[in-house]
Structure formats: C-alpha cells, structure tokens
Coordinates of all heavy atoms in Angstrom, one line a residue:
M469 N 0.8 -1.2 0.0 CA 0.0 0.0 0.0 C 0.8 1.2 0.0 O 1.8 1.4 0.7 CB -0.9 0.0 1.2 CG -2.3 0.3 0.9 SD -3.5 0.1 2.2 CE -3.1 1.4 3.3
K470 N 0.5 2.2 -0.9 CA 1.2 3.4 -0.9 C 0.8 4.4 0.1 O -0.4 4.5 0.3 CB 1.1 4.1 -2.3 CG 2.1 3.6 -3.4 CD 2.0 4.6 -4.5 CE 2.1 3.8 -5.8 NZ 1.8 4.6 -7.0
T471 N 1.7 5.0 0.8 CA 1.2 6.1 1.7 C 1.5 7.4 1.1 O 2.7 7.7 0.7 CB 2.0 6.0 3.1 OG1 3.3 5.8 2.8 CG2 1.5 4.8 3.9
R472 N 0.5 8.2 0.9 CA 0.7 9.5 0.3 C 0.7 10.5 1.4 O 0.0 10.4 2.4 CB -0.5 9.8 -0.7 CG -0.3 9.1 -2.0 CD -1.3 9.6 -3.0 NE -1.2 11.1 -3.2 CZ -2.2 11.8 -3.6 NH1 -3.4 11.3 -3.7 NH2 -2.0 13.1 -3.8
K473 N 1.6 11.5 1.3 CA 1.8 12.5 2.3 C 0.6 13.5 2.1 O 0.4 14.1 1.0 CB 3.1 13.2 2.1 CG 3.7 13.5 3.4 CD 5.0 14.2 3.3 CE 5.6 14.6 4.6 NZ 6.8 15.4 4.5
I474 N -0.1 13.7 3.2 CA -1.3 14.6 3.1 C -0.7 16.0 3.6 O -0.2 16.0 4.7 CB -2.5 14.1 4.0 CG1 -2.9 12.7 3.5 CG2 -3.6 15.1 3.9 CD1 -3.8 12.0 4.5
P475 N -1.0 17.0 2.9 CA -0.5 18.3 3.4 C -1.4 18.8 4.5 O -2.6 18.7 4.4 CB -0.7 19.3 2.2 CG -1.5 18.6 1.2 CD -1.6 17.1 1.5
M476 N -0.7 19.2 5.6 CA -1.5 19.5 6.8 C -1.3 21.1 7.0 O -0.2 21.6 6.8 CB -0.9 18.8 8.0 CG -0.9 17.3 7.9 SD -2.6 16.6 8.1 CE -2.7 16.6 9.9
R477 N -2.4 21.6 7.5 CA -2.3 23.1 7.8 C -3.0 23.3 9.2 O -3.8 22.5 9.6 CB -3.0 23.9 6.7 CG -2.5 23.9 5.4 CD -1.1 24.7 5.4 NE -0.5 24.7 4.0 CZ 0.3 23.8 3.6 NH1 0.6 22.7 4.2 NH2 0.8 23.9 2.3
M478 N -2.7 24.4 9.8 CA -3.3 24.7 11.1 C -4.5 25.6 11.0 O -4.5 26.6 10.3 CB -2.2 25.4 12.0 CG -2.7 25.4 13.4 SD -1.4 26.0 14.5 CE -1.2 27.7 14.0
C479 N -5.5 25.1 11.7 CA -6.8 25.9 11.7 C -6.6 27.2 12.6 O -6.0 27.0 13.7 CB -7.9 25.1 12.3 SG -9.3 26.1 12.8
N480 N -7.0 28.3 12.2 CA -6.9 29.5 13.0 C -7.8 29.7 14.1 O -7.8 30.6 14.9 CB -7.0 30.8 12.0 CG -5.7 31.1 11.3 OD1 -4.9 31.8 11.8 ND2 -5.4 30.4 10.2
G481 N -8.8 28.7 14.2 CA -9.8 28.7 15.3 C -9.3 27.7 16.4 O -8.9 28.3 17.5
C482 N -9.3 26.5 16.1 CA -8.9 25.5 17.2 C -7.4 25.2 17.3 O -6.9 24.6 18.2 CB -9.7 24.2 17.0 SG -9.3 23.4 15.4
M483 N -6.6 25.8 16.3 CA -5.1 25.6 16.3 C -4.7 24.2 16.1 O -3.6 23.8 16.5 CB -4.5 26.2 17.5 CG -4.9 27.6 17.9 SD -4.4 28.8 16.6 CE -2.6 28.8 16.9
E484 N -5.6 23.3 15.6 CA -5.2 22.0 15.3 C -4.7 21.8 13.9 O -5.2 22.5 13.0 CB -6.4 21.0 15.6 CG -6.6 20.7 17.0 CD -7.8 19.9 17.2 OE1 -8.2 19.0 16.4 OE2 -8.5 20.1 18.2
M485 N -3.8 20.9 13.7 CA -3.4 20.6 12.3 C -4.4 19.6 11.7 O -4.8 18.6 12.2 CB -2.0 19.9 12.4 CG -0.9 20.7 12.9 SD -0.5 22.2 12.0 CE 0.4 21.5 10.6
K486 N -4.8 20.0 10.5 CA -5.8 19.3 9.8 C -5.3 19.1 8.3 O -4.6 20.0 7.8 CB -7.1 20.0 9.8 CG -7.8 20.2 11.2 CD -8.7 19.1 11.5 CE -9.1 19.1 13.0 NZ -10.3 19.9 13.1
P487 N -5.8 18.1 7.7 CA -5.5 18.0 6.2 C -6.1 19.2 5.5 O -7.2 19.6 5.8 CB -6.3 16.7 5.7 CG -6.5 15.9 7.0 CD -6.6 16.9 8.1
K488 N -5.3 19.7 4.6 CA -5.5 21.0 3.9 C -6.9 20.9 3.3 O -7.6 21.9 3.2 CB -4.5 21.1 2.8 CG -4.2 22.5 2.4 CD -3.1 22.6 1.4 CE -3.2 23.8 0.6 NZ -2.3 23.8 -0.6
K489 N -7.3 19.7 2.7 CA -8.6 19.6 2.1 C -9.8 19.9 3.0 O -10.9 20.2 2.5 CB -8.7 18.2 1.5 CG -8.2 18.0 0.2 CD -8.7 16.7 -0.3 CE -8.0 16.3 -1.6 NZ -8.1 14.8 -1.8
E490 N -9.6 19.7 4.2 CA -10.7 19.8 5.2 C -10.9 21.2 5.7 O -11.7 21.6 6.5 CB -10.6 18.9 6.4 CG -10.7 17.4 6.0 CD -10.5 16.5 7.2 OE1 -10.5 17.0 8.3 OE2 -10.2 15.3 6.9
L491 N -10.0 22.1 5.2 CA -10.0 23.5 5.7 C -10.4 24.4 4.6 O -10.3 24.2 3.4 CB -8.6 23.8 6.2 CG -8.0 22.9 7.3 CD1 -6.6 23.2 7.5 CD2 -8.8 23.2 8.6
I492 N -10.8 25.6 5.0 CA -11.1 26.7 4.0 C -9.9 27.6 4.0 O -9.4 28.0 5.1 CB -12.4 27.5 4.4 CG1 -13.6 26.6 4.2 CG2 -12.5 28.7 3.5 CD1 -14.9 27.2 4.6
R493 N -9.5 28.1 2.9 CA -8.3 29.0 2.9 C -8.8 30.4 2.6 O -9.6 30.7 1.7 CB -7.4 28.5 1.7 CG -6.1 29.3 1.5 CD -5.3 28.6 0.5 NE -4.0 29.3 0.5 CZ -3.5 29.9 -0.6 NH1 -4.2 29.9 -1.7 NH2 -2.4 30.5 -0.6
I494 N -8.2 31.3 3.4 CA -8.4 32.7 3.2 C -7.1 33.2 2.7 O -6.0 33.0 3.3 CB -8.8 33.4 4.5 CG1 -10.1 32.8 5.1 CG2 -9.0 34.9 4.3 CD1 -9.8 32.0 6.3
V495 N -7.1 33.9 1.5 CA -5.8 34.2 0.9 C -5.7 35.8 0.8 O -6.7 36.5 0.5 CB -5.6 33.5 -0.4 CG1 -6.6 34.0 -1.4 CG2 -4.2 33.7 -0.9
K496 N -4.5 36.2 1.1 CA -4.2 37.6 0.9 C -3.3 37.7 -0.4 O -2.2 37.1 -0.5 CB -3.4 38.2 2.0 CG -3.1 39.7 2.0 CD -2.4 40.1 3.2 CE -1.4 41.1 3.0 NZ -0.6 41.4 4.2
S497 N -3.8 38.3 -1.4 CA -3.1 38.4 -2.7 C -1.9 39.3 -2.6 O -1.8 40.0 -1.6 CB -4.0 39.0 -3.8 OG -4.2 40.4 -3.5
P498 N -1.0 39.2 -3.5 CA 0.2 40.1 -3.5 C -0.2 41.5 -3.4 O 0.7 42.3 -3.0 CB 1.0 39.7 -4.8 CG 0.5 38.3 -5.1 CD -0.9 38.2 -4.6
E499 N -1.4 41.9 -3.9 CA -1.8 43.3 -3.8 C -2.5 43.6 -2.5 O -2.9 44.7 -2.3 CB -2.9 43.5 -4.9 CG -2.4 43.4 -6.4 CD -2.2 42.1 -6.9 OE1 -3.0 41.2 -6.5 OE2 -1.2 41.8 -7.6
G500 N -2.6 42.6 -1.6 CA -3.1 42.8 -0.3 C -4.6 42.6 -0.2 O -5.2 43.1 0.8
E501 N -5.2 42.1 -1.1 CA -6.7 41.9 -1.2 C -7.0 40.6 -0.6 O -6.4 39.6 -0.9 CB -7.2 42.1 -2.5 CG -8.6 42.6 -2.6 CD -9.0 42.8 -4.0 OE1 -8.4 43.6 -4.8 OE2 -10.0 42.1 -4.5
L502 N -8.0 40.5 0.3 CA -8.4 39.2 0.9 C -9.5 38.6 0.1 O -10.4 39.3 -0.4 CB -8.9 39.5 2.3 CG -7.9 39.7 3.5 CD1 -8.6 39.7 4.8 CD2 -6.8 38.7 3.4
S503 N -9.4 37.3 0.0 CA -10.5 36.5 -0.6 C -10.6 35.1 -0.1 O -9.6 34.7 0.6 CB -10.5 36.5 -2.2 OG -9.2 35.9 -2.5
I504 N -11.7 34.5 -0.3 CA -11.8 33.1 0.2 C -11.4 32.2 -1.0 O -12.0 32.4 -2.1 CB -13.3 32.8 0.6 CG1 -13.6 33.7 1.8 CG2 -13.5 31.4 1.0 CD1 -15.1 33.9 2.1
D505 N -10.5 31.4 -0.8 CA -10.0 30.5 -1.8 C -10.4 29.1 -1.7 O -10.0 28.3 -0.9 CB -8.4 30.6 -1.8 CG -7.8 29.7 -2.9 OD1 -8.5 29.4 -3.8 OD2 -6.6 29.4 -2.7
L506 N -11.4 28.8 -2.6 CA -12.0 27.4 -2.5 C -11.2 26.4 -3.2 O -11.4 25.2 -3.2 CB -13.4 27.4 -2.9 CG -14.4 28.3 -2.1 CD1 -15.7 28.4 -2.7 CD2 -14.5 27.8 -0.6
T507 N -10.3 26.9 -4.2 CA -9.5 25.9 -5.0 C -8.2 25.6 -4.3 O -7.6 24.7 -4.6 CB -9.2 26.6 -6.4 OG1 -8.5 27.8 -6.1 CG2 -10.5 26.9 -7.1
G508 N -7.8 26.5 -3.4 CA -6.5 26.2 -2.7 C -5.4 26.6 -3.6 O -4.2 26.2 -3.3
K509 N -5.6 27.3 -4.7 CA -4.6 27.5 -5.7 C -4.2 29.0 -5.9 O -3.4 29.3 -6.7 CB -5.0 26.9 -7.0 CG -4.8 25.4 -6.9 CD -5.2 24.7 -8.2 CE -5.0 23.2 -8.1 NZ -6.3 22.5 -8.4
K510 N -5.0 29.8 -5.3 CA -4.7 31.3 -5.5 C -3.3 31.7 -4.9 O -2.9 31.2 -3.9 CB -5.8 32.1 -4.8 CG -7.1 32.2 -5.6 CD -8.0 33.2 -5.0 CE -9.4 33.1 -5.6 NZ -10.4 34.0 -4.9
P511 N -2.7 32.6 -5.6 CA -1.4 33.0 -5.1 C -1.5 33.9 -4.0 O -2.5 34.6 -3.8 CB -0.8 33.7 -6.3 CG -1.9 34.2 -7.1 CD -3.0 33.2 -6.9
G512 N -0.6 33.9 -3.1 CA -0.6 34.8 -1.9 C -0.4 34.0 -0.6 O -0.3 32.8 -0.6
R513 N -0.5 34.8 0.4 CA -0.4 34.2 1.8 C -1.7 33.7 2.3 O -2.7 34.4 2.1 CB 0.2 35.3 2.7 CG 0.8 34.8 3.9 CD 1.2 36.1 4.7 NE 1.3 35.7 6.1 CZ 2.4 35.9 6.8 NH1 3.4 36.6 6.3 NH2 2.5 35.5 8.1
G514 N -1.8 32.5 2.8 CA -3.0 31.9 3.2 C -3.2 31.7 4.7 O -2.2 31.4 5.4
A515 N -4.4 31.8 5.2 CA -4.7 31.3 6.5 C -5.8 30.3 6.4 O -6.6 30.4 5.5 CB -5.2 32.5 7.4
Y516 N -5.8 29.4 7.3 CA -6.8 28.2 7.1 C -7.8 28.2 8.4 O -7.4 28.5 9.5 CB -6.1 26.9 7.0 CG -5.2 26.8 5.7 CD1 -4.0 27.4 5.7 CD2 -5.7 26.3 4.6 CE1 -3.2 27.4 4.5 CE2 -5.0 26.2 3.5 CZ -3.7 26.8 3.4 OH -3.0 26.8 2.3
I517 N -8.9 27.6 8.0 CA -9.9 27.5 9.1 C -10.8 26.2 8.8 O -11.0 25.9 7.7 CB -10.8 28.7 9.2 CG1 -11.6 28.7 10.5 CG2 -11.6 29.0 8.0 CD1 -11.9 30.0 11.0
C518 N -11.1 25.5 9.8 CA -12.0 24.3 9.8 C -13.3 24.7 9.2 O -13.7 25.9 9.4 CB -12.3 23.6 11.1 SG -10.9 23.0 12.0
K519 N -14.0 23.8 8.6 CA -15.3 24.1 8.0 C -16.4 23.9 9.1 O -17.3 23.1 9.1 CB -15.7 23.2 6.9 CG -14.8 23.5 5.7 CD -15.0 22.5 4.6 CE -14.1 22.9 3.4 NZ -14.1 21.8 2.4
N520 N -16.2 24.7 10.2 CA -17.2 24.8 11.2 C -17.3 26.1 11.9 O -16.3 26.9 11.9 CB -17.2 23.6 12.2 CG -16.1 23.8 13.2 OD1 -16.0 24.7 13.9 ND2 -15.2 22.8 13.2
V521 N -18.5 26.5 12.2 CA -18.8 27.9 12.7 C -18.1 28.2 14.0 O -17.6 29.3 14.3 CB -20.3 28.1 12.9 CG1 -20.6 29.4 13.4 CG2 -21.0 27.9 11.6
E522 N -17.9 27.1 14.9 CA -17.2 27.3 16.1 C -15.8 27.8 15.9 O -15.3 28.7 16.6 CB -17.1 26.0 16.9 CG -18.1 25.8 17.9 CD -18.2 24.3 18.4 OE1 -17.1 23.9 18.9 OE2 -19.2 23.7 18.3
C523 N -15.1 27.2 15.0 CA -13.7 27.6 14.7 C -13.7 29.0 14.1 O -12.8 29.8 14.4 CB -13.1 26.6 13.7 SG -12.6 25.1 14.5
L524 N -14.6 29.3 13.3 CA -14.7 30.6 12.7 C -15.0 31.7 13.8 O -14.2 32.7 13.8 CB -15.9 30.7 11.6 CG -16.1 32.1 11.1 CD1 -14.9 32.5 10.2 CD2 -17.3 32.1 10.1
D525 N -15.9 31.4 14.7 CA -16.2 32.3 15.8 C -14.9 32.5 16.6 O -14.6 33.7 17.0 CB -17.3 31.9 16.7 CG -18.6 32.1 16.0 OD1 -18.7 32.9 15.1 OD2 -19.6 31.4 16.4
K526 N -14.2 31.5 16.9 CA -12.9 31.6 17.6 C -11.9 32.4 16.9 O -11.3 33.3 17.5 CB -12.4 30.2 17.9 CG -12.4 29.7 19.3 CD -11.6 28.4 19.5 CE -12.5 27.5 20.2 NZ -11.9 26.1 20.3
A527 N -11.8 32.2 15.7 CA -10.8 33.0 14.9 C -11.2 34.5 14.8 O -10.3 35.3 14.8 CB -10.7 32.4 13.4
I528 N -12.6 34.7 14.8 CA -13.0 36.1 14.7 C -12.6 36.8 16.1 O -12.1 37.9 16.2 CB -14.5 36.2 14.5 CG1 -14.8 35.8 13.1 CG2 -15.0 37.7 14.7 CD1 -16.3 35.6 12.8
K529 N -12.9 36.1 17.2 CA -12.7 36.6 18.5 C -11.2 36.9 18.8 O -10.9 37.9 19.4 CB -13.2 35.6 19.6 CG -14.5 36.1 20.2 CD -15.0 35.2 21.2 CE -16.5 34.9 21.0 NZ -16.9 33.6 21.4
T530 N -10.4 36.0 18.4 CA -8.9 36.1 18.7 C -8.2 37.0 17.6 O -7.1 37.3 17.8 CB -8.3 34.7 18.7 OG1 -8.5 34.1 17.5 CG2 -8.8 33.8 19.8
K531 N -8.9 37.3 16.6 CA -8.4 38.0 15.4 C -7.1 37.3 14.9 O -6.2 38.0 14.4 CB -8.0 39.4 15.8 CG -9.2 40.3 16.1 CD -8.7 41.7 16.4 CE -9.8 42.8 16.2 NZ -11.0 42.6 16.7
R532 N -7.1 36.0 14.9 CA -6.0 35.3 14.5 C -5.7 35.4 13.0 O -4.5 35.4 12.6 CB -6.1 33.8 14.9 CG -4.8 33.2 15.3 CD -5.0 31.9 16.0 NE -4.8 32.0 17.5 CZ -5.7 31.4 18.4 NH1 -6.7 30.7 18.0 NH2 -5.4 31.6 19.6
I533 N -6.7 35.5 12.3 CA -6.5 35.5 10.8 C -5.9 36.9 10.5 O -4.9 37.0 9.7 CB -7.9 35.4 10.0 CG1 -8.4 34.0 10.3 CG2 -7.7 35.6 8.5 CD1 -9.9 33.8 9.8
N534 N -6.3 38.0 11.2 CA -5.7 39.2 11.0 C -4.2 39.2 11.3 O -3.4 39.8 10.5 CB -6.3 40.3 12.0 CG -7.8 40.5 11.9 OD1 -8.5 39.4 11.7 ND2 -8.3 41.6 12.0
K535 N -3.9 38.5 12.4 CA -2.4 38.5 12.8 C -1.6 37.7 11.8 O -0.6 38.0 11.4 CB -2.3 37.9 14.2 CG -2.6 38.9 15.2 CD -2.6 38.2 16.7 CE -3.6 39.0 17.6 NZ -4.0 38.1 18.7
N536 N -2.3 36.6 11.4 CA -1.6 35.7 10.5 C -1.3 36.3 9.1 O -0.2 36.1 8.6 CB -2.5 34.5 10.3 CG -1.8 33.2 10.6 OD1 -0.7 33.0 10.1 ND2 -2.4 32.4 11.4
L537 N -2.3 37.0 8.7 CA -2.1 37.6 7.3 C -1.6 39.1 7.4 O -1.4 39.7 6.3 CB -3.5 37.5 6.6 CG -4.0 36.1 6.3 CD1 -5.3 36.2 5.5 CD2 -3.0 35.3 5.5
E538 N -1.5 39.6 8.6 CA -1.0 40.9 8.8 C -1.8 41.9 8.1 O -1.3 42.8 7.4 CB 0.5 41.0 8.4 CG 1.4 40.2 9.3 CD 2.8 40.0 8.8 OE1 3.0 40.2 7.5 OE2 3.7 39.6 9.5
T539 N -3.1 41.8 8.3 CA -4.1 42.7 7.6 C -5.3 42.7 8.4 O -5.5 41.8 9.3 CB -4.3 42.3 6.1 OG1 -5.1 43.3 5.5 CG2 -5.1 41.0 6.0
S540 N -6.2 43.7 8.2 CA -7.5 43.6 8.8 C -8.5 42.8 7.9 O -8.4 42.9 6.7 CB -8.0 45.0 9.1 OG -8.2 45.7 7.9
V541 N -9.3 42.1 8.6 CA -10.3 41.3 7.9 C -11.7 41.9 8.0 O -12.1 42.2 9.2 CB -10.4 39.9 8.5 CG1 -11.3 39.0 7.7 CG2 -9.0 39.2 8.5
D542 N -12.3 42.3 6.9 CA -13.6 43.0 7.2 C -14.7 41.9 7.3 O -14.6 40.8 7.1 CB -14.1 43.9 6.1 CG -13.4 44.0 4.8 OD1 -12.2 44.4 4.9 OD2 -14.0 43.7 3.8
E543 N -15.8 42.5 8.0 CA -17.0 41.8 8.2 C -17.4 40.9 7.0 O -17.9 39.8 7.2 CB -18.1 42.8 8.6 CG -18.0 43.3 10.0 CD -18.0 42.3 11.0 OE1 -18.8 41.4 11.0 OE2 -17.1 42.3 11.9
E544 N -17.3 41.6 5.9 CA -17.7 40.9 4.6 C -17.1 39.6 4.4 O -17.7 38.6 4.1 CB -17.4 41.9 3.5 CG -18.1 41.7 2.2 CD -19.7 41.5 2.3 OE1 -20.2 42.2 3.2 OE2 -20.2 40.6 1.6
I545 N -15.8 39.5 4.7 CA -15.1 38.3 4.5 C -15.6 37.2 5.6 O -15.9 36.1 5.2 CB -13.6 38.5 4.7 CG1 -13.0 39.3 3.6 CG2 -12.8 37.1 4.9 CD1 -12.8 38.7 2.3
Y546 N -15.8 37.6 6.8 CA -16.3 36.7 7.8 C -17.7 36.2 7.4 O -18.0 35.1 7.6 CB -16.3 37.4 9.1 CG -15.0 37.6 9.8 CD1 -14.6 38.8 10.4 CD2 -14.0 36.5 9.8 CE1 -13.4 39.0 11.0 CE2 -12.8 36.7 10.4 CZ -12.5 37.9 11.0 OH -11.3 38.1 11.6
K547 N -18.5 37.1 6.9 CA -19.9 36.8 6.5 C -19.8 35.7 5.4 O -20.5 34.7 5.5 CB -20.6 38.0 6.0 CG -21.8 38.4 6.8 CD -22.7 39.2 6.0 CE -22.7 40.6 6.5 NZ -23.4 41.6 5.5
R548 N -18.9 36.0 4.4 CA -18.8 35.0 3.3 C -18.3 33.6 3.8 O -18.7 32.6 3.3 CB -18.0 35.6 2.2 CG -18.9 36.5 1.3 CD -18.1 37.2 0.3 NE -17.1 36.4 -0.4 CZ -16.0 36.9 -1.0 NH1 -15.7 38.1 -0.8 NH2 -15.2 36.1 -1.6
L549 N -17.4 33.7 4.7 CA -16.8 32.5 5.3 C -17.9 31.7 6.0 O -18.0 30.5 5.8 CB -15.7 32.8 6.3 CG -14.3 33.0 5.8 CD1 -13.4 33.5 7.0 CD2 -13.8 31.7 5.2
K550 N -18.7 32.4 6.7 CA -19.8 31.7 7.5 C -20.8 31.1 6.4 O -21.2 29.9 6.6 CB -20.5 32.7 8.3 CG -21.3 32.1 9.5 CD -21.7 33.1 10.6 CE -21.1 32.7 11.9 NZ -21.2 33.7 12.9
E551 N -21.1 31.8 5.4 CA -21.9 31.2 4.4 C -21.4 30.0 3.7 O -22.0 28.9 3.6 CB -22.2 32.3 3.2 CG -23.4 33.2 3.6 CD -23.3 34.4 2.8 OE1 -22.8 34.5 1.6 OE2 -23.9 35.4 3.3
E552 N -20.1 30.0 3.5 CA -19.4 28.9 2.9 C -19.5 27.7 3.8 O -19.7 26.5 3.4 CB -17.9 29.2 2.6 CG -17.6 30.0 1.4 CD -18.2 29.3 0.2 OE1 -18.2 28.1 0.0 OE2 -18.5 30.2 -0.7
I553 N -19.3 27.9 5.1 CA -19.3 26.8 6.1 C -20.7 26.2 6.2 O -20.8 25.0 6.2 CB -18.8 27.4 7.4 CG1 -17.3 27.7 7.4 CG2 -19.1 26.4 8.5 CD1 -16.7 28.5 8.5
I554 N -21.7 27.1 6.2 CA -23.1 26.6 6.4 C -23.5 25.9 5.2 O -24.2 24.9 5.3 CB -24.0 27.8 6.7 CG1 -23.7 28.4 8.1 CG2 -25.5 27.4 6.7 CD1 -24.2 29.7 8.5
N555 N -23.1 26.4 4.0 CA -23.5 25.7 2.7 C -22.8 24.4 2.5 O -23.1 23.7 1.5 CB -23.3 26.6 1.6 CG -24.3 27.8 1.7 OD1 -25.4 27.6 2.3 ND2 -23.9 28.9 1.1
E556 N -21.7 24.1 3.2 CA -20.9 22.9 2.9 C -21.7 21.6 2.9 O -22.5 21.4 3.9 CB -19.8 22.8 3.9 CG -18.5 23.3 3.3 CD -17.9 22.4 2.2 OE1 -18.0 21.2 2.3 OE2 -17.5 23.0 1.2
Ligands
ZN1880 ZN1 -10.6 24.3 13.7

C-alpha cells in the first residue's frame, strides 16, 4: 500500500493541524486583497480554518486571521466564510 503524504495546515480557530482539504483557505493576494480561496490555488499568503462555525467564531474573537495575514479582515469576509461553512 502506498502512503501519500497529506498536506497539513493549522486551523486559525482551534489551532489543530488538519488535512488541507478539510479546511477553508483565506488568501491575501500580493496586492493585499483578501478573498476566500476554495480551490487552494490562489497565489498569496493563506490562513486556514476548519469548516465549522465554532472555529470561525474563535478565529474572529482572537483576530488570529488578522495576525496571520498581517491585515484587517472585514466583516464581509467573515460573513462569506460563514456562508461557505453553512452551505458545505
Ligand atoms: Zn478548527
């Protein structure tokens, strides 16, 4: 049996390492613009979060995404993240 290496990333809510596929990526483009990256392929610096509202709320409270990406995250991004999580 082949063992494939699964890329792991840390959730900004619960701070646990999870397979990249199970997380949502928030990306800051080289121009400094934030977006939600569902393909995992957008260029730029990324922060990750589990697909659950609890982790999102934690990340909002601790402002960990802001710190991680060294930018401010507007309400709009959080709202869209929440929608993505709920619609999953
Ligand atoms: Zn989490």
